[in-house]
Amino acid sequence: MPQRVRKAVFPAAGLGTRFLPATKASPKEMLPLVDKPLIQYVVEEAVASGIESVIIVTGRGKTAIEDHFDVSFELECLLRDRGKDSDLKQAREISDLARVSYVRQREALGLGHAILQARDLVGDEPFAVMLSDDIIDSETPALKQLLDVYEKYDAPVVATMHVKGEAISRFGALEVEEIEDGVYRVKDMIEKPPVSKAPSDLAIIGRYVLTPDIFNEIEKTKPGAVGEIQITDAMRSLLKKRDFYAVRFEGTRYDAGDKLGFLIATVELALKHSELAPEFGQYLKSRKL
């Protein structure tokens, strides 16, 4: 039986330049999507998938993330004194979500480098990696879909989806062999290829289940053109030594790391919000474009 995945790593040390000036002094991961920050959506997905321990890789100016998942005694006392039991319950649920640990990435040297910073906290066991840029709305949590395949094949798994045209050059692209509906054995992966050199239109999306041998490969991976260590390059190296799988997850993925994608996600999730949907839907219908 494969070893159970108990831990998830959340890289959150990036500079968030695509959202400037909003992210000049505030973490991108704390941008509110309707009524919750981006990173909370992804942590909730992890917990719903059975993850017990959350490891957040932070950097300078990211203390708001730590504060968000911590207990706020002053806020809770205020809400309790004012009889706002519902708000108090909501605040307490955030700090009770999971066991959260933090590690610093002193320089933004790429996703692979960020994951490497969590090595001591992960230890010698399999783990998940989740990116808060990718918000996935699905009936079965996207990470759970990956974990089911990991448990079946006892091998690393990445999330994938079809991406049309030139957009594939913004992702890691996969060469695959489909072995069951929506599940692929990975034959090769290329980081951000030009569309003419992409092996398929299947892109790697920000959900991974990795084994601890990935850390040795990250250490041996040379920085790319912009001086960053890419996780795709490290996984490609590990692929030569063991099987890798990909899951075409069921659900809708929103690129919340992009301004337009963030706005689309805001609208779509607001229309699913129990309190906001009726009035917000009416407002949208009233708009004349």
Side-chain angles (χ1 to χ4, degrees):
M1 291 289 292
Q3 189 176 357
R4 183 167 168 265
V5 177
R6 303 183 306 112
K7 300 176 180 179
V9 175
F10 295 76
L15 300 176
T17 53
R18 286 195 287 173
F19 271 95
L20 286 170
T23 52
K24 181 175 182 291
S26 302
K28 175 189 64 177
E29 296 79 12
M30 291 300 295
L31 291 174
L33 188 56
V34 187
D35 57 359
K36 292 188 289 190
L38 291 174
I39 195 166
Q40 185 176 334
Y41 282 92
V42 190
V43 170
E44 288 177 346
E45 179 190 323
V47 172
S49 301
I51 294 297
E52 299 172 359
S53 179
V54 166
I55 301 166
I56 301 179
V57 182
T58 65
R60 286 178 59 84
K62 301 283 185 168
T63 54
I65 298 174
E66 299 183 32
D67 291 341
H68 182 68
F69 290 107
D70 200 357
V71 173
S72 176
F73 295 103
E74 298 87 350
L75 174 62
E76 291 186 10
C77 285
L78 179 66
L79 295 174
R80 189 177 296 110
D81 291 345
R82 294 185 177 180
K84 296 189 174 183
D85 296 338
S86 177
D87 290 339
L88 175 61
K89 180 174 180 287
Q90 215 171 32
R92 174 57 71 171
E93 284 175 347
I94 296 170
S95 54
D96 289 344
L97 260 177
R99 185 170 66 252
V100 184
S101 304
Y102 300 90
V103 62
R104 294 277 289 236
Q105 183 186 22
R106 287 176 290 184
E107 296 180 82
L109 296 178
L111 179 55
H113 182 264
I115 294 169
L116 185 61
Q117 306 314 299
R119 184 175 196 167
D120 288 344
L121 292 175
V122 168
D124 190 24
E125 58 184 284
F127 64 103
V129 175
M130 306 181 73
L131 306 186
S132 57
D133 279 0
D134 291 311
I135 301 298
I136 301 176
D137 183 24
S138 56
E139 187 172 332
T140 301
L143 180 61
K144 180 64 168 65
Q145 297 177 46
L146 269 67
L147 290 171
D148 289 344
V149 172
Y150 161 78
E151 290 170 3
K152 183 174 183 178
Y153 293 100
D154 192 12
V157 186
V158 297
T160 188
M161 62 179 278
H162 292 289
V163 172
K164 295 180 180 179
E166 296 285 344
I168 192 66
S169 63
R170 302 200 303 267
F171 299 85
L174 297 172
E175 180 182 350
V176 298
E177 170 194 3
E178 190 164 19
I179 56 175
E180 55 182 284
D181 186 31
V183 179
Y184 308 88
R185 180 179 290 108
V186 178
K187 299 168 70 175
D188 198 5
M189 55 183 76
I190 303 173
E191 176 66 12
K192 297 180 180 179
V195 65
S196 60
K197 295 185 178 180
S200 75
D201 66 349
L202 286 171
I204 300 173
I205 303 302
R207 303 289 185 274
Y208 310 75
V209 177
L210 300 172
T211 45
D213 46 359
I214 191 65
F215 291 121
N216 289 334
E217 302 304 325
I218 296 173
E219 284 188 321
K220 293 186 288 186
T221 300
K222 295 180 180 179
V226 294
E228 295 185 344
I229 298 172
Q230 299 296 343
I231 190 60
T232 303
D233 294 335
M235 292 191 299
R236 190 184 195 194
S237 178
L238 186 58
L239 179 60
K240 299 173 183 177
K241 303 175 183 178
R242 65 178 306 156
D243 287 341
F244 252 85
Y245 293 85
V247 176
R248 192 179 69 244
F249 59 88
E250 296 180 3
T252 302
R253 175 253 184 186
Y254 301 104
D255 181 5
D258 170 83
K259 290 179 183 177
L260 178 59
F262 183 86
L263 290 173
I264 292 170
T266 299
V267 171
E268 294 295 335
L269 294 182
L271 289 172
K272 291 188 173 187
H273 193 285
S274 58
E275 296 178 11
L276 299 175
E279 290 187 44
F280 186 56
Q282 288 298 318
Y283 166 73
L284 291 179
K285 289 178 183 178
S286 72
R287 292 282 295 162
K288 294 180 180 180
L289 300 179

